Amino acid sequence: MPDTTAILWFRCDLRLADNPALNAAVEAGHRVQPVFVLDDRSPGEWRPGGAQRWWLHHALHALAADLEAHGAALVLRSGPTEDAIAKLVAETGAAAVYWNRLYEPWANDRDARIKTKLKDQGVAAESFNARLLFEPWTPKTGNGDPYKVYTPFWKALQKLGPPPRPLSAPARIPAAPAVDSERLDDWTLLPGTPRSKEPDWAGGLRDSWTPGEAGARDRLERFLDDWLAAYDAARNRPDKPGTSRLSPHLHFGEIGPRQVWHAVRHRMDAAGIDGAAQAYLSELGWREFSYHLLYWWPDLPEVTWKDNFRRFPWAEDAAGLRAWTRGETGYPIVDAGMRELTAIGWMHNRVRMIVGSFLVKDLLLHWREGERWFWDTLVDADLASNSASWQWIAGCGADAAPYFRIFNPVTQGQKFDPEGAYVRHWVPELAALPDRYLHAPWTAPATVLRDAGVSLGRTYPEPIVDHSEMREAALSMFKRARGEEEEESASAD
Protein backbone atom coordinates (compact mmCIF):
# COMPACT_ATOMS: atom_id res chain seq x y z
CA MET A 1 0.00 0.00 0.00
CA PRO A 2 1.55 3.36 -1.02
CA ASP A 3 2.57 5.65 1.82
CA THR A 4 1.29 8.77 0.10
CA THR A 5 -1.15 11.56 0.81
CA ALA A 6 -4.06 12.51 -1.41
CA ILE A 7 -6.02 15.72 -1.03
CA LEU A 8 -9.79 15.28 -1.18
CA TRP A 9 -11.15 18.63 -2.28
CA PHE A 10 -14.75 19.05 -1.12
CA ARG A 11 -17.03 21.49 -2.94
CA CYS A 12 -20.77 20.93 -3.49
CA ASP A 13 -20.44 17.27 -2.48
CA LEU A 14 -20.54 17.53 1.30
CA ARG A 15 -21.20 13.85 2.02
CA LEU A 16 -19.37 10.57 2.52
CA ALA A 17 -21.82 8.19 0.82
CA ASP A 18 -21.86 8.07 -2.98
CA ASN A 19 -18.79 10.30 -3.15
CA PRO A 20 -16.70 8.86 -5.99
CA ALA A 21 -13.73 11.15 -5.34
CA LEU A 22 -13.56 9.96 -1.73
CA ASN A 23 -13.90 6.32 -2.72
CA ALA A 24 -11.17 6.67 -5.36
CA ALA A 25 -8.75 8.23 -2.89
CA VAL A 26 -9.34 5.52 -0.28
CA GLU A 27 -9.24 2.65 -2.77
CA ALA A 28 -5.93 3.92 -4.15
CA GLY A 29 -4.47 3.41 -0.68
CA HIS A 30 -3.68 7.03 0.06
CA ARG A 31 -3.79 8.77 3.38
CA VAL A 32 -6.56 11.28 2.82
CA GLN A 33 -6.52 14.97 3.64
CA PRO A 34 -10.02 16.45 3.16
CA VAL A 35 -10.17 20.20 2.51
CA PHE A 36 -12.82 22.80 1.83
CA VAL A 37 -11.79 26.14 0.36
CA LEU A 38 -13.97 29.22 0.81
CA ASP A 39 -13.25 31.19 -2.36
CA ASP A 40 -15.39 34.29 -2.84
CA ARG A 41 -13.23 35.61 -5.68
CA SER A 42 -13.52 32.95 -8.38
CA PRO A 43 -17.36 32.93 -8.59
CA GLY A 44 -17.57 36.72 -8.91
CA GLU A 45 -21.18 37.81 -8.41
CA TRP A 46 -22.18 34.17 -8.01
CA ARG A 47 -20.38 33.68 -4.71
CA PRO A 48 -22.73 32.15 -2.11
CA GLY A 49 -25.56 34.42 -1.06
CA GLY A 50 -26.63 35.07 2.51
CA ALA A 51 -28.94 32.08 2.95
CA GLN A 52 -26.42 29.75 1.31
CA ARG A 53 -23.70 30.95 3.66
CA TRP A 54 -25.86 30.10 6.66
CA TRP A 55 -26.39 26.61 5.25
CA LEU A 56 -22.72 26.20 4.36
CA HIS A 57 -21.65 26.95 7.93
CA HIS A 58 -23.82 24.20 9.35
CA ALA A 59 -23.12 21.78 6.50
CA LEU A 60 -19.37 22.08 7.05
CA HIS A 61 -19.84 21.60 10.78
CA ALA A 62 -21.75 18.37 10.09
CA LEU A 63 -19.22 17.20 7.49
CA ALA A 64 -16.32 17.74 9.88
CA ALA A 65 -18.06 15.60 12.52
CA ASP A 66 -18.80 12.85 9.98
CA LEU A 67 -15.19 12.81 8.78
CA GLU A 68 -13.88 12.71 12.34
CA ALA A 69 -16.09 9.69 13.04
CA HIS A 70 -14.45 7.98 10.06
CA GLY A 71 -10.90 8.85 11.12
CA ALA A 72 -10.11 11.98 9.10
CA ALA A 73 -9.98 15.71 9.83
CA LEU A 74 -11.45 18.42 7.62
CA VAL A 75 -9.07 21.28 6.86
CA LEU A 76 -10.54 24.69 6.08
CA ARG A 77 -8.78 27.26 3.92
CA SER A 78 -9.96 30.53 2.40
CA GLY A 79 -8.84 32.73 -0.47
CA PRO A 80 -8.24 32.03 -4.16
CA THR A 81 -8.62 28.29 -4.65
CA GLU A 82 -5.64 27.90 -6.98
CA ASP A 83 -3.36 29.34 -4.30
CA ALA A 84 -4.97 27.36 -1.47
CA ILE A 85 -4.70 24.00 -3.26
CA ALA A 86 -1.12 24.68 -4.36
CA LYS A 87 -0.13 25.57 -0.80
CA LEU A 88 -1.79 22.49 0.68
CA VAL A 89 -0.09 20.24 -1.89
CA ALA A 90 3.28 21.72 -0.83
CA GLU A 91 2.50 21.34 2.88
CA THR A 92 1.39 17.72 2.63
CA GLY A 93 3.61 16.53 -0.21
CA ALA A 94 0.41 15.19 -1.78
CA ALA A 95 0.80 12.78 -4.68
CA ALA A 96 -2.77 13.30 -5.89
CA VAL A 97 -5.76 15.60 -5.66
CA TYR A 98 -9.27 14.21 -6.08
CA TRP A 99 -12.51 16.13 -6.51
CA ASN A 100 -16.03 15.87 -7.87
CA ARG A 101 -16.91 18.08 -10.78
CA LEU A 102 -18.82 21.34 -10.77
CA TYR A 103 -20.41 22.66 -13.95
CA GLU A 104 -20.67 26.39 -13.40
CA PRO A 105 -18.70 28.27 -16.10
CA TRP A 106 -16.35 29.95 -13.64
CA ALA A 107 -15.65 26.59 -11.97
CA ASN A 108 -14.99 24.83 -15.27
CA ASP A 109 -12.32 27.37 -16.20
CA ARG A 110 -10.70 27.44 -12.78
CA ASP A 111 -10.67 23.66 -12.33
CA ALA A 112 -9.10 23.15 -15.76
CA ARG A 113 -6.26 25.49 -14.78
CA ILE A 114 -5.75 23.68 -11.47
CA LYS A 115 -5.71 20.27 -13.13
CA THR A 116 -3.12 21.41 -15.69
CA LYS A 117 -0.84 22.93 -13.03
CA LEU A 118 -1.03 19.84 -10.84
CA LYS A 119 -0.18 17.49 -13.68
CA ASP A 120 2.71 19.73 -14.75
CA GLN A 121 4.06 19.31 -11.20
CA GLY A 122 3.73 15.55 -11.35
CA VAL A 123 0.71 15.49 -9.05
CA ALA A 124 -2.16 13.27 -10.17
CA ALA A 125 -5.47 15.12 -10.57
CA GLU A 126 -8.70 13.21 -11.00
CA SER A 127 -12.27 14.46 -11.10
CA PHE A 128 -15.57 12.57 -10.99
CA ASN A 129 -19.32 13.05 -11.40
CA ALA A 130 -21.18 13.16 -8.10
CA ARG A 131 -23.56 16.02 -8.91
CA LEU A 132 -25.75 14.71 -11.72
CA LEU A 133 -27.38 11.50 -12.90
CA PHE A 134 -25.37 11.77 -16.12
CA GLU A 135 -22.79 14.19 -17.43
CA PRO A 136 -24.40 17.26 -19.05
CA TRP A 137 -22.73 16.55 -22.37
CA THR A 138 -24.06 12.98 -22.59
CA PRO A 139 -27.59 13.50 -24.02
CA LYS A 140 -27.42 14.71 -27.64
CA THR A 141 -29.95 15.04 -30.42
CA GLY A 142 -29.74 12.84 -33.49
CA ASN A 143 -27.65 15.58 -35.11
CA GLY A 144 -25.25 15.63 -32.18
CA ASP A 145 -26.54 18.97 -30.89
CA PRO A 146 -27.51 19.82 -27.32
CA TYR A 147 -31.19 19.72 -26.49
CA LYS A 148 -33.19 22.93 -26.24
CA VAL A 149 -36.52 21.40 -25.22
CA TYR A 150 -37.13 19.44 -22.03
CA THR A 151 -39.41 16.61 -23.20
CA PRO A 152 -37.07 15.12 -25.83
CA PHE A 153 -34.16 15.70 -23.43
CA TRP A 154 -35.92 13.71 -20.70
CA LYS A 155 -36.79 10.92 -23.12
CA ALA A 156 -33.16 10.74 -24.24
CA LEU A 157 -31.99 10.67 -20.64
CA GLN A 158 -34.33 7.79 -19.83
CA LYS A 159 -33.04 5.82 -22.80
CA LEU A 160 -29.61 5.84 -21.19
CA GLY A 161 -31.00 3.47 -18.58
CA PRO A 162 -30.75 3.80 -14.82
CA PRO A 163 -27.90 5.90 -13.44
CA PRO A 164 -25.06 4.07 -11.68
CA ARG A 165 -25.96 2.71 -8.27
CA PRO A 166 -24.79 4.85 -5.36
CA LEU A 167 -21.51 4.05 -3.65
CA SER A 168 -21.32 3.22 0.05
CA ALA A 169 -19.24 5.42 2.32
CA PRO A 170 -15.85 3.97 3.24
CA ALA A 171 -15.85 2.29 6.64
CA ARG A 172 -12.63 4.09 7.51
CA ILE A 173 -10.70 6.99 5.96
CA PRO A 174 -6.93 6.74 6.46
CA ALA A 175 -5.88 10.07 7.94
CA ALA A 176 -3.00 12.18 6.66
CA PRO A 177 -0.61 13.92 9.06
CA ALA A 178 -2.19 16.98 10.65
CA VAL A 179 -1.87 20.40 9.01
CA ASP A 180 -3.14 23.81 10.04
CA SER A 181 -6.76 24.68 9.50
CA GLU A 182 -8.73 27.89 9.71
CA ARG A 183 -11.63 28.06 12.16
CA LEU A 184 -15.15 27.82 10.77
CA ASP A 185 -16.46 30.42 13.21
CA ASP A 186 -13.91 32.92 11.92
CA TRP A 187 -15.47 32.82 8.46
CA THR A 188 -18.53 34.74 9.71
CA LEU A 189 -20.88 32.83 7.42
CA LEU A 190 -23.80 33.22 9.81
CA PRO A 191 -26.10 36.26 9.54
CA GLY A 192 -24.72 39.50 10.87
CA THR A 193 -25.25 43.18 10.46
CA PRO A 194 -24.27 43.38 6.77
CA ARG A 195 -26.69 40.61 5.76
CA SER A 196 -29.47 40.18 8.30
CA LYS A 197 -32.94 40.84 6.88
CA GLU A 198 -35.14 40.40 9.96
CA PRO A 199 -34.47 39.65 13.63
CA ASP A 200 -35.83 36.12 13.23
CA TRP A 201 -34.18 35.31 9.89
CA ALA A 202 -31.61 32.87 11.27
CA GLY A 203 -34.16 31.46 13.67
CA GLY A 204 -36.51 30.67 10.82
CA LEU A 205 -33.77 28.81 9.00
CA ARG A 206 -32.71 26.94 12.12
CA ASP A 207 -36.27 25.84 12.87
CA SER A 208 -36.90 24.70 9.30
CA TRP A 209 -33.76 22.87 8.22
CA THR A 210 -31.14 20.36 9.34
CA PRO A 211 -28.09 20.82 7.11
CA GLY A 212 -25.77 17.85 6.71
CA GLU A 213 -25.78 14.36 5.28
CA ALA A 214 -27.87 12.92 8.13
CA GLY A 215 -30.45 15.67 7.70
CA ALA A 216 -30.64 14.91 3.97
CA ARG A 217 -31.20 11.19 4.60
CA ASP A 218 -33.92 11.94 7.15
CA ARG A 219 -35.63 14.38 4.77
CA LEU A 220 -35.63 11.78 1.98
CA GLU A 221 -37.01 9.05 4.21
CA ARG A 222 -39.83 11.27 5.47
CA PHE A 223 -40.77 12.19 1.93
CA LEU A 224 -40.75 8.55 0.80
CA ASP A 225 -42.85 7.47 3.76
CA ASP A 226 -45.33 10.34 3.91
CA TRP A 227 -45.69 12.09 0.58
CA LEU A 228 -44.25 10.26 -2.41
CA ALA A 229 -47.46 8.31 -3.05
CA ALA A 230 -49.43 11.57 -3.20
CA TYR A 231 -46.76 13.63 -4.93
CA ASP A 232 -48.43 13.99 -8.31
CA ALA A 233 -51.55 15.52 -6.72
CA ALA A 234 -49.99 17.36 -3.78
CA ARG A 235 -46.88 18.90 -5.33
CA ASN A 236 -48.73 22.04 -6.46
CA ARG A 237 -50.30 22.72 -3.07
CA PRO A 238 -48.21 25.13 -0.96
CA ASP A 239 -50.64 24.56 1.92
CA LYS A 240 -49.46 20.93 2.18
CA PRO A 241 -45.98 19.48 2.87
CA GLY A 242 -46.20 17.50 -0.37
CA THR A 243 -42.77 18.19 -1.83
CA SER A 244 -39.46 16.60 -0.86
CA ARG A 245 -37.63 19.83 0.15
CA LEU A 246 -34.43 18.09 -0.86
CA SER A 247 -33.28 20.94 -3.09
CA PRO A 248 -30.81 22.54 -0.64
CA HIS A 249 -29.40 19.14 0.29
CA LEU A 250 -28.93 18.37 -3.40
CA HIS A 251 -27.34 21.75 -4.05
CA PHE A 252 -24.74 21.28 -1.34
CA GLY A 253 -24.28 17.63 -2.23
CA GLU A 254 -25.34 16.29 1.16
CA ILE A 255 -27.24 13.74 -0.87
CA GLY A 256 -26.70 12.88 -4.51
CA PRO A 257 -29.27 12.60 -7.31
CA ARG A 258 -28.35 8.95 -7.86
CA GLN A 259 -29.18 8.19 -4.25
CA VAL A 260 -32.52 9.95 -4.59
CA TRP A 261 -33.33 8.35 -7.95
CA HIS A 262 -32.65 4.80 -6.75
CA ALA A 263 -34.50 5.33 -3.46
CA VAL A 264 -37.57 6.59 -5.31
CA ARG A 265 -37.41 3.78 -7.84
CA HIS A 266 -37.11 1.21 -5.07
CA ARG A 267 -40.13 2.63 -3.25
CA MET A 268 -42.05 2.91 -6.52
CA ASP A 269 -41.47 -0.77 -7.32
CA ALA A 270 -42.25 -1.91 -3.78
CA ALA A 271 -45.41 0.16 -3.32
CA GLY A 272 -46.75 0.25 -6.87
CA ILE A 273 -46.90 4.06 -7.07
CA ASP A 274 -45.60 4.46 -10.58
CA GLY A 275 -47.41 7.67 -11.53
CA ALA A 276 -46.42 9.68 -8.48
CA ALA A 277 -42.84 8.42 -8.54
CA GLN A 278 -42.42 9.17 -12.23
CA ALA A 279 -43.68 12.69 -11.62
CA TYR A 280 -41.01 13.16 -8.99
CA LEU A 281 -38.26 11.63 -11.14
CA SER A 282 -39.18 14.06 -13.91
CA GLU A 283 -38.33 16.88 -11.48
CA LEU A 284 -34.84 15.42 -11.20
CA GLY A 285 -34.93 15.51 -14.98
CA TRP A 286 -35.60 19.26 -14.92
CA ARG A 287 -32.58 19.68 -12.67
CA GLU A 288 -30.47 17.75 -15.17
CA PHE A 289 -31.88 19.82 -18.03
CA SER A 290 -30.90 23.05 -16.28
CA TYR A 291 -27.31 21.84 -15.93
CA HIS A 292 -27.34 20.72 -19.56
CA LEU A 293 -28.36 24.25 -20.59
CA LEU A 294 -25.77 25.92 -18.36
CA TYR A 295 -23.01 23.68 -19.70
CA TRP A 296 -23.79 24.41 -23.36
CA TRP A 297 -24.84 28.03 -22.86
CA PRO A 298 -22.56 29.29 -20.08
CA ASP A 299 -23.89 32.86 -20.31
CA LEU A 300 -27.38 31.64 -19.31
CA PRO A 301 -27.29 33.44 -15.91
CA GLU A 302 -26.51 36.82 -17.48
CA VAL A 303 -27.86 36.87 -21.04
CA THR A 304 -31.45 36.48 -22.20
CA TRP A 305 -31.49 33.16 -24.05
CA LYS A 306 -33.85 34.06 -26.91
CA ASP A 307 -32.43 36.80 -29.11
CA ASN A 308 -35.75 38.50 -29.84
CA PHE A 309 -36.41 39.04 -26.13
CA ARG A 310 -33.19 41.00 -25.74
CA ARG A 311 -35.03 44.00 -27.16
CA PHE A 312 -37.66 43.97 -24.43
CA PRO A 313 -38.00 47.37 -22.71
CA TRP A 314 -37.98 46.24 -19.07
CA ALA A 315 -39.26 48.74 -16.55
CA GLU A 316 -37.27 50.46 -13.82
CA ASP A 317 -39.45 50.48 -10.72
CA ALA A 318 -37.55 50.59 -7.45
CA ALA A 319 -40.73 50.94 -5.41
CA GLY A 320 -42.36 47.96 -7.13
CA LEU A 321 -39.25 45.82 -6.66
CA ARG A 322 -39.06 46.79 -2.99
CA ALA A 323 -42.72 45.89 -2.44
CA TRP A 324 -42.16 42.54 -4.16
CA THR A 325 -39.10 41.66 -2.09
CA ARG A 326 -40.87 42.59 1.15
CA GLY A 327 -44.08 40.73 0.39
CA GLU A 328 -46.12 43.92 0.26
CA THR A 329 -47.66 43.81 -3.23
CA GLY A 330 -51.27 43.58 -2.08
CA TYR A 331 -51.67 40.16 -3.72
CA PRO A 332 -51.83 37.64 -0.86
CA ILE A 333 -50.37 34.56 -2.59
CA VAL A 334 -47.44 36.63 -3.89
CA ASP A 335 -46.84 38.21 -0.50
CA ALA A 336 -47.10 34.86 1.27
CA GLY A 337 -44.42 33.40 -0.98
CA MET A 338 -42.03 36.30 -0.56
CA ARG A 339 -42.46 36.26 3.21
CA GLU A 340 -41.89 32.51 3.31
CA LEU A 341 -38.66 33.11 1.38
CA THR A 342 -37.51 35.78 3.83
CA ALA A 343 -38.38 33.65 6.84
CA ILE A 344 -36.99 30.21 5.91
CA GLY A 345 -34.86 30.74 2.81
CA TRP A 346 -37.12 28.61 0.64
CA MET A 347 -40.35 28.86 -1.33
CA HIS A 348 -42.76 26.28 -2.68
CA ASN A 349 -42.17 25.68 -6.40
CA ARG A 350 -45.72 26.56 -7.50
CA VAL A 351 -45.43 29.84 -5.63
CA ARG A 352 -42.01 30.50 -7.19
CA MET A 353 -43.76 30.46 -10.56
CA ILE A 354 -46.48 32.79 -9.31
CA VAL A 355 -44.14 35.38 -7.79
CA GLY A 356 -41.83 35.12 -10.81
CA SER A 357 -44.67 35.78 -13.24
CA PHE A 358 -45.79 38.72 -11.10
CA LEU A 359 -42.33 40.29 -11.21
CA VAL A 360 -41.75 40.03 -14.95
CA LYS A 361 -45.30 40.29 -16.29
CA ASP A 362 -47.20 42.39 -13.77
CA LEU A 363 -44.33 44.69 -12.79
CA LEU A 364 -42.45 44.28 -16.10
CA LEU A 365 -39.15 44.09 -14.24
CA HIS A 366 -36.17 42.25 -15.71
CA TRP A 367 -35.96 38.58 -14.83
CA ARG A 368 -32.44 39.18 -13.56
CA GLU A 369 -33.85 41.25 -10.68
CA GLY A 370 -35.64 38.14 -9.46
CA GLU A 371 -32.67 35.93 -10.18
CA ARG A 372 -30.41 38.11 -8.05
CA TRP A 373 -32.89 38.28 -5.15
CA PHE A 374 -33.42 34.54 -5.13
CA TRP A 375 -29.67 33.99 -5.28
CA ASP A 376 -29.19 35.88 -2.03
CA THR A 377 -32.22 34.55 -0.16
CA LEU A 378 -32.66 30.89 -1.18
CA VAL A 379 -30.87 28.15 0.72
CA ASP A 380 -31.12 26.07 -2.48
CA ALA A 381 -29.90 28.85 -4.81
CA ASP A 382 -28.34 26.92 -7.67
CA LEU A 383 -26.86 28.72 -10.67
CA ALA A 384 -28.22 26.29 -13.26
CA SER A 385 -31.72 25.90 -11.84
CA ASN A 386 -32.11 29.53 -10.77
CA SER A 387 -31.16 31.06 -14.11
CA ALA A 388 -32.99 28.48 -16.23
CA SER A 389 -36.14 28.82 -14.13
CA TRP A 390 -36.22 32.61 -14.24
CA GLN A 391 -35.77 32.61 -18.00
CA TRP A 392 -38.50 29.97 -18.24
CA ILE A 393 -41.07 32.01 -16.34
CA ALA A 394 -40.13 35.15 -18.29
CA GLY A 395 -40.84 33.29 -21.54
CA CYS A 396 -37.36 33.98 -22.90
CA GLY A 397 -35.49 30.79 -22.00
CA ALA A 398 -35.17 27.27 -23.34
CA ASP A 399 -38.48 25.41 -23.50
CA ALA A 400 -39.93 28.45 -21.78
CA ALA A 401 -43.47 29.15 -20.70
CA PRO A 402 -45.12 31.00 -23.62
CA TYR A 403 -44.89 34.74 -23.20
CA PHE A 404 -48.69 34.89 -23.20
CA ARG A 405 -48.90 32.59 -20.17
CA ILE A 406 -49.39 35.07 -17.35
CA PHE A 407 -50.24 33.72 -13.93
CA ASN A 408 -53.26 35.35 -12.34
CA PRO A 409 -52.28 35.65 -8.65
CA VAL A 410 -55.92 35.55 -7.52
CA THR A 411 -57.01 32.44 -9.39
CA GLN A 412 -53.70 30.73 -8.64
CA GLY A 413 -54.28 31.31 -4.93
CA GLN A 414 -57.86 30.11 -5.11
CA LYS A 415 -56.87 26.96 -7.01
CA PHE A 416 -53.78 25.89 -5.09
CA ASP A 417 -54.50 27.32 -1.61
CA PRO A 418 -58.28 26.81 -1.60
CA GLU A 419 -58.74 26.91 2.18
CA GLY A 420 -56.20 29.70 2.53
CA ALA A 421 -53.95 27.89 5.01
CA TYR A 422 -50.77 29.01 3.24
CA VAL A 423 -51.76 32.65 2.99
CA ARG A 424 -53.09 32.75 6.55
CA HIS A 425 -49.81 31.36 7.86
CA TRP A 426 -47.52 33.82 6.07
CA VAL A 427 -49.87 36.83 5.88
CA PRO A 428 -51.51 36.64 9.32
CA GLU A 429 -53.04 40.11 9.09
CA LEU A 430 -55.54 38.57 6.64
CA ALA A 431 -56.22 35.45 8.70
CA ALA A 432 -59.76 36.43 9.73
CA LEU A 433 -60.99 37.11 6.20
CA PRO A 434 -63.49 34.59 4.81
CA ASP A 435 -62.11 32.22 2.18
CA ARG A 436 -64.03 33.86 -0.67
CA TYR A 437 -62.20 37.16 -0.14
CA LEU A 438 -58.84 35.96 1.15
CA HIS A 439 -57.02 35.95 -2.20
CA ALA A 440 -58.56 39.26 -3.32
CA PRO A 441 -59.19 41.28 -0.16
CA TRP A 442 -59.95 44.47 -2.12
CA THR A 443 -63.16 42.79 -3.32
CA ALA A 444 -64.49 42.34 0.22
CA PRO A 445 -67.26 44.64 1.43
CA ALA A 446 -66.23 47.26 3.96
CA THR A 447 -68.10 45.47 6.74
CA VAL A 448 -66.29 42.19 6.04
CA LEU A 449 -62.93 43.96 6.11
CA ARG A 450 -63.82 45.73 9.34
CA ASP A 451 -64.97 42.53 11.03
CA ALA A 452 -61.72 40.83 9.96
CA GLY A 453 -59.60 43.68 11.31
CA VAL A 454 -58.27 44.52 7.84
CA SER A 455 -57.75 48.10 6.73
CA LEU A 456 -56.44 48.20 3.16
CA GLY A 457 -53.57 50.60 2.84
CA ARG A 458 -52.92 50.45 6.60
CA THR A 459 -52.82 46.90 7.95
CA TYR A 460 -52.38 45.35 4.51
CA PRO A 461 -51.41 47.03 1.21
CA GLU A 462 -53.78 47.73 -1.59
CA PRO A 463 -52.66 46.07 -4.87
CA ILE A 464 -49.66 47.95 -6.26
CA VAL A 465 -50.83 47.25 -9.83
CA ASP A 466 -54.05 46.19 -11.51
CA HIS A 467 -53.38 42.66 -12.75
CA SER A 468 -55.88 42.86 -15.63
CA GLU A 469 -54.39 46.09 -16.94
CA MET A 470 -50.80 44.90 -16.59
CA ARG A 471 -51.64 41.62 -18.26
CA GLU A 472 -52.85 43.43 -21.37
CA ALA A 473 -49.84 45.75 -21.32
CA ALA A 474 -47.45 42.83 -20.94
CA LEU A 475 -49.06 40.91 -23.79
CA SER A 476 -48.71 43.88 -26.09
CA MET A 477 -45.10 44.57 -25.12
CA PHE A 478 -43.99 40.94 -25.33
CA LYS A 479 -45.67 40.58 -28.69
CA ARG A 480 -43.89 43.66 -30.08
CA ALA A 481 -40.56 42.38 -28.70
CA ARG A 482 -41.08 39.18 -30.67
CA GLY A 483 -41.79 41.17 -33.81
CA GLU A 484 -45.11 39.41 -34.30
CA GLU A 485 -47.97 40.81 -36.31
CA GLU A 486 -50.52 38.04 -36.06
CA GLU A 487 -52.81 37.67 -33.08
CA GLU A 488 -51.86 35.17 -30.39
CA SER A 489 -54.44 33.39 -28.29
CA ALA A 490 -53.61 34.50 -24.77
CA SER A 491 -54.09 32.28 -21.77
CA ALA A 492 -54.84 33.47 -18.29
CA ASP A 493 -53.63 31.04 -15.67
Side-chain angles (χ1 to χ4, degrees):
M1 181 176 292
D3 185 23
T4 54
T5 293
I7 293 171
L8 175 63
W9 176 18
F10 278 101
R11 295 111 73 78
C12 285
D13 54 347
L14 307 182
R15 65 182 186 269
L16 304 189
D18 197 32
N19 189 317
L22 169 60
N23 283 73
V26 172
E27 290 172 3
H30 296 293
R31 298 170 299 184
V32 179
Q33 179 54 73
V35 63
F36 183 90
V37 180
L38 180 65
D39 179 358
D40 281 335
R41 182 181 302 178
S42 296
E45 68 173 304
W46 302 119
R47 60 186 177 274
Q52 293 177 77
R53 296 173 93 82
W54 176 90
W55 191 288
L56 180 61
H57 175 94
H58 295 287
L60 288 174
H61 188 273
L63 177 65
D66 291 342
L67 285 167
E68 183 178 359
H70 284 72
L74 178 64
V75 165
L76 302 176
R77 298 289 172 91
S78 61
T81 301
E82 293 175 66
D83 296 343
I85 295 296
K87 183 177 180 182
L88 190 58
V89 167
E91 290 176 17
T92 60
V97 181
Y98 296 85
W99 67 83
N100 295 306
R101 284 187 280 277
L102 299 175
Y103 302 95
E104 290 81 359
W106 59 266
N108 289 337
D109 296 340
R110 180 199 63 188
D111 296 355
R113 292 194 303 269
I114 290 175
K115 184 173 283 191
T116 297
K117 289 180 181 179
L118 289 171
K119 290 184 175 179
D120 288 346
Q121 297 168 5
V123 178
E126 297 189 41
S127 61
F128 305 85
N129 172 28
R131 193 156 181 73
L132 300 173
L133 298 174
F134 299 98
E135 296 287 15
W137 53 83
T138 301
K140 295 280 189 68
T141 68
N143 295 327
D145 297 323
Y147 283 96
K148 298 180 179 180
V149 179
Y150 170 73
T151 298
F153 170 85
W154 180 230
K155 290 179 178 178
L157 208 68
Q158 291 176 298
K159 288 180 180 178
L160 296 174
R165 296 201 66 82
L167 302 168
S168 299
R172 188 77 179 164
I173 303 173
V179 293
D180 290 338
S181 174
E182 297 176 24
R183 295 179 65 252
L184 181 59
D185 288 343
D186 291 340
W187 282 1
T188 61
L189 295 172
L190 298 178
T193 302
R195 173 57 187 80
S196 59
K197 304 181 66 58
E198 289 186 345
D200 65 346
W201 185 66
L205 293 175
R206 185 174 57 249
D207 294 342
S208 302
W209 304 102
T210 306
E213 188 171 6
R217 286 197 304 267
D218 289 345
R219 178 76 68 176
L220 175 60
E221 287 301 317
R222 290 201 303 273
F223 172 65
L224 295 175
D225 291 342
D226 299 339
W227 286 102
L228 177 60
Y231 178 76
D232 202 16
R235 60 176 169 163
N236 281 310
R237 294 285 299 270
D239 57 335
K240 299 180 181 296
T243 60
S244 71
R245 295 201 177 195
L246 282 170
S247 52
H249 297 290
L250 282 165
H251 171 73
F252 285 94
E254 298 165 343
I255 197 167
R258 294 182 299 216
Q259 294 171 285
V260 177
W261 193 93
H262 281 284
V264 171
R265 284 288 311 185
H266 177 76
R267 187 63 60 93
M268 178 181 79
D269 295 338
I273 48 174
D274 186 78
Q278 289 292 355
Y280 184 77
L281 293 178
S282 72
E283 294 302 315
L284 290 180
W286 274 105
R287 181 177 181 270
E288 297 276 316
F289 185 53
S290 297
Y291 274 90
H292 174 86
L293 294 173
L294 182 63
Y295 179 81
W296 290 107
W297 289 276
D299 61 359
L300 185 71
E302 290 90 18
V303 178
T304 297
W305 199 75
K306 290 182 178 176
D307 292 345
N308 51 6
F309 275 88
R310 296 176 189 175
R311 300 189 296 270
F312 191 83
W314 298 105
E316 293 186 10
D317 181 3
L321 179 61
R322 183 168 58 253
W324 181 80
T325 61
R326 293 178 176 179
E328 297 174 353
T329 68
Y331 286 91
I333 192 71
V334 174
D335 294 340
M338 298 307 294
R339 296 182 193 188
E340 178 183 33
L341 175 61
T342 296
I344 68 171
W346 185 86
M347 190 192 302
H348 188 279
N349 186 61
R350 167 57 59 170
V351 186
R352 295 189 197 200
M353 292 190 285
I354 297 169
V355 304
S357 178
F358 189 86
L359 181 78
V360 298
K361 293 175 179 176
D362 283 72
L363 299 181
L364 296 174
L365 291 170
H366 201 296
W367 59 267
R368 286 209 66 194
E369 297 285 2
E371 179 192 37
R372 292 188 188 100
W373 186 257
F374 273 26
W375 184 258
D376 194 41
T377 53
L378 280 172
V379 289
D380 63 4
D382 182 279
L383 192 61
S385 296
N386 194 41
S387 53
S389 296
W390 272 102
Q391 295 226 41
W392 181 89
I393 197 63
C396 60
D399 198 21
Y403 75 88
F404 50 81
R405 186 181 189 188
I406 299 176
F407 286 82
N408 183 319
V410 176
T411 57
Q412 287 282 305
Q414 292 168 340
K415 182 176 181 180
F416 297 112
D417 185 28
E419 288 83 40
Y422 180 74
V423 163
R424 287 188 171 92
H425 179 79
W426 293 111
V427 190
E429 60 267 41
L430 299 179
L433 273 179
D435 290 353
R436 65 179 296 189
Y437 300 116
L438 182 63
H439 294 288
W442 61 91
T443 65
T447 55
V448 172
L449 292 172
R450 185 181 63 247
D451 291 347
V454 176
S455 175
L456 295 180
R458 289 182 56 246
T459 64
Y460 183 71
E462 295 183 357
I464 61 173
V465 293
D466 183 297
H467 171 73
S468 297
E469 292 180 1
M470 294 309 299
R471 175 178 174 275
E472 293 305 314
L475 286 171
S476 177
M477 294 173 68
F478 274 88
K479 188 174 180 179
R480 286 200 302 271
R482 288 168 57 94
E484 295 182 356
E485 296 180 358
E486 73 279 4
E487 285 295 322
E488 289 280 1
S489 60
S491 65
D493 292 329

